[in-house]
Amino acid sequence: MLTTHPFESLDDGDKLREECGIFGIAGAETASAMVALGLHALQHRGQEAAGITSFDGDHFHTHRAMGHVAGNFDRDDVIRSLPGHNACGHVRYSTTGETALRNVQPLYADLASGGFAVAHNGNISNAMKLKRDLVRRGSIFQSTSDTEVIIHLVATSTYRTLLDKFIDALRHLEGAYSLICMTPEGMIACRDPLGIRPLVMGKLGNSIIFASETVALDVVGADYIRSIEPGELVLVREGEVESVHPFGKRAARPCIFEHVYFSRPDSIVDGSSVYSVRKAIGAQLAIEAPVDADLVIPVPDSGVPAAIGYAQESGIPFELGIIRSHYVGRTFIQPGDKVRHLGVKLKHNANRALIDGKRIVLIDDSIVRGTTSLKIVQMMRDAGAKEVHMRIASPPTRHSCFYGVDTPERAKLLAAKLDIPGMTDFIHADSLAFVSIDGLYRALGETQRADIGPQYCDACFTGDYPTTLTDQDDLAPEDQFSLLAERVN
């Protein structure tokens, strides 16, 4: 039987979760239907809620709902209620804050210049300070989302044109944002000056599309044009596309974890195939942390590409020693300790005939709290594994993310509490190793980080945050992580 650990109650949330995905299309006859398809492809980025806003040339129309895209946006009556040639949408995974319809995006407001809808992927690290200042000036907030700050900044800007008001609003922001906005004048897509969160542009006939990942372009049959550049605003008005760079040139720091886990393996992120990068990470891991074993087994599904790379580099056979059920959600009711301990088998089950008597290498993308790794290792031992060695296709996650990823506070991250031997003991493995930060950079085609400095946002591994964190700095240490409850994208 699985040994009870003090982390047991924290089993939910033992993966880093991207908070949202965005998709927008300008100039399509069935814009809202296309957005619904695009959001299906981005469902992995947020499963809690979804929304679509359309514009028919005169009026904005919005439908938002809790739950998946399927069941909410695959109905004819819903799509018919969202007419127009322009539309944008959002899938959401919240942090520990309020789960409520008022926080589901796109957010919409009637401004003096007309309607304004915004879908946001990321996290604004000075949102609470901005919100306090805006409330003092008379703003009334309708949600607990940091995204609403953008709307109020646009509304209160003293600049004359809507574009200038929008740029003025962005100048006040810290942190990470990829945005798709709709106005009566057209659609605006933009990325923060460091390009922390991803955003790409595609084309389908005469329609221009923006999405968090290229896989959403594939699903609707669009051609990938390019990534939106860090700090770039792209405007689509009456079929014309215009690019603006209002913030000057800065060294980009895109999120490195998009390559490790967040993005789908069939996406292209900043010019690189996610699948190929993950295989390269696995190969690098085999070079850095070899082990004498009989089988390489991925923890499905996210560990599969890295495990293939590890197996190819090491010469150890790759096998599917764990079978995952795709029909169990996080909300499955687990009454009582005994059923709770068995819950992991609903999602993962050992391929016992393959594992019995073997020395195995388990490959996973990361360790967050460690509870899932503990259960997987125990599952392998229960299935008769002779030795269980764990290899992780990212460096130890020692720091929380403040840029749009749901992470526990640092005190609950296993790598922040324990060294490698301590983590090995915790998960009951025979050995444990992580790819080095320099190895991760090499897998991405860069020279080692120590030589060139950070080319990515790798703060979750290094603690090197690329922006100021005003809201965190303003809080007492014991209150810092309560801020996560107020940041709901």
Side-chain angles (χ1 to χ4, degrees):
M1 177 178 280
L2 183 67
T3 304
T4 301
H5 281 260
F7 287 76
E8 187 65 44
S9 62
L10 303 176
D11 187 58
D12 276 350
D14 197 26
K15 282 286 185 184
L16 301 183
R17 284 178 165 80
E18 176 62 273
E19 285 183 11
C20 48
I22 56 178
F23 185 98
I25 185 167
E29 289 189 9
T30 55
S32 59
M34 299 297 285
V35 172
L37 287 173
L39 294 181
H40 271 288
L42 300 174
Q43 188 74 85
H44 61 288
R45 300 183 75 89
Q47 295 106 54
E48 188 173 271
I52 295 176
T53 296
S54 68
F55 180 62
D56 64 10
D58 294 310
H59 301 97
F60 286 83
H61 309 269
T62 296
H63 184 81
R64 301 182 295 168
M66 307 305 296
H68 289 190
V69 179
N72 286 310
F73 291 96
D74 53 3
R75 293 163 31 207
D76 288 342
D77 60 323
V78 172
I79 297 302
R80 284 198 301 269
S81 73
L82 297 167
H85 290 179
N86 290 1
C88 67
H90 186 275
V91 288
R92 173 178 179 265
Y93 181 86
S94 73
T95 61
T96 55
E98 182 184 29
T99 299
L101 195 60
R102 64 175 179 159
N103 286 322
V104 180
Q105 296 187 29
L107 297 184
Y108 174 81
D110 284 307
L111 308 183
S113 55
F116 186 86
V118 58
H120 171 208
N121 172 208
N123 205 69
I124 298 167
S125 59
N126 63 336
M128 295 306 296
K129 180 181 185 303
L130 292 172
K131 183 175 181 179
R132 287 194 298 269
D133 293 343
L134 286 162
V135 169
R136 290 191 192 103
R137 290 158 51 191
S139 292
I140 300 172
F141 281 74
Q142 302 297 316
S143 75
T144 59
S145 171
D146 60 340
T147 308
E148 192 178 354
V149 168
I150 299 169
I151 293 175
H152 287 275
L153 289 172
V154 173
T156 58
S157 173
T158 58
Y159 282 82
R160 188 178 61 85
T161 70
L162 179 59
L163 179 59
D164 287 339
K165 288 175 181 288
F166 184 60
I167 293 172
D168 180 41
L170 297 183
R171 291 189 192 280
H172 289 82
L173 305 183
E174 297 173 359
Y177 54 85
S178 286
L179 303 172
I180 298 174
C181 306
M182 291 202 311
T183 77
E185 297 179 21
M187 183 172 287
I188 306 171
C190 69
R191 201 172 173 194
D192 68 75
L194 295 179
I196 298 174
R197 300 260 66 86
L199 190 63
V200 299
M201 179 166 60
K203 190 171 185 180
L204 179 63
N206 294 322
S207 303
I208 299 297
I209 299 175
F210 303 101
S212 292
E213 293 184 37
T214 61
V215 67
L217 303 178
D218 297 337
V219 165
V220 300
D223 294 324
Y224 169 59
I225 299 175
R226 62 178 176 87
S227 291
I228 304 302
E229 296 176 9
E232 180 185 17
L233 277 71
V234 178
L235 296 81
V236 184
R237 292 183 284 200
E238 298 181 349
E240 298 296 321
V241 180
E242 179 184 356
S243 174
V244 180
H245 291 79
F247 306 113
K249 195 73 174 177
R250 296 175 61 182
R253 294 282 296 275
C255 173
I256 203 167
F257 223 92
E258 291 285 349
H259 296 279
V260 173
Y261 175 66
F262 295 140
S263 295
R264 271 181 42 164
D266 46 344
S267 279
I268 305 294
V269 173
D270 290 322
S272 297
S273 159
V274 174
Y275 178 79
S276 297
V277 168
R278 289 177 187 169
K279 279 183 63 180
I281 296 171
Q284 184 65 36
L285 186 56
I287 293 169
E288 294 182 358
V291 62
D292 189 13
D294 302 308
L295 299 175
V296 173
I297 294 174
V299 177
D301 290 318
S302 56
V304 171
I308 293 172
Y310 192 102
Q312 290 177 348
E313 179 66 32
S314 67
I316 302 170
F318 169 93
E319 294 286 358
L320 294 178
I322 302 172
I323 307 302
R324 179 189 172 192
S325 169
H326 293 266
Y327 305 101
V328 180
R330 293 180 67 240
T331 56
F332 179 80
I333 299 170
Q334 298 177 346
D337 287 342
K338 183 175 181 180
V339 176
R340 188 175 297 113
H341 290 324
L342 294 174
V344 70
K345 292 187 176 182
L346 292 170
K347 289 187 178 181
H348 301 101
N349 193 46
N351 192 345
R352 183 179 295 270
L354 187 71
I355 292 166
D356 192 22
K358 300 295 196 305
R359 301 167 299 166
I360 65 171
V361 185
L362 286 173
I363 308 291
D364 205 354
D365 59 86
S366 61
I367 291 180
V368 183
R369 302 178 191 264
T371 49
T372 298
S373 299
L374 167 67
K375 291 181 178 181
I376 293 292
V377 170
Q378 187 64 46
M379 181 190 297
M380 296 296 96
R381 296 202 186 281
D382 291 344
K386 186 176 179 181
E387 296 176 11
V388 183
H389 304 273
M390 196 140 200
R391 298 293 181 265
I392 306 299
S394 64
T397 303
R398 295 193 172 101
H399 304 272
S400 296
C401 177
F402 300 100
Y403 299 124
V405 177
D406 178 29
T407 50
E409 59 254 45
R410 191 170 183 227
K412 294 177 182 176
L413 294 171
L414 192 66
K417 297 171 66 71
L418 301 173
D419 58 12
I420 301 297
M423 295 175 73
T424 307
D425 289 343
F426 178 87
I427 67 172
H428 292 176
D430 290 285
S431 71
L432 170 66
F434 297 77
V435 74
S436 67
I437 188 69
D438 285 338
L440 183 55
Y441 269 64
R442 282 192 288 271
L444 282 156
E446 306 283 354
T447 55
Q448 60 186 26
R449 188 184 194 275
D451 293 338
I452 60 174
Q455 302 295 300
Y456 297 89
C457 178
D458 51 26
C460 54
F461 308 133
T462 65
D464 181 7
Y465 294 98
T467 75
T468 52
L469 301 172
T470 295
D471 290 339
Q472 287 294 310
D473 294 341
D474 286 349
L475 293 174
E478 64 272 15
D479 295 329
Q480 286 188 351
F481 289 96
S482 66
L483 180 62
L484 293 176
E486 296 297 328
R487 289 179 169 169
V488 187
N489 280 344

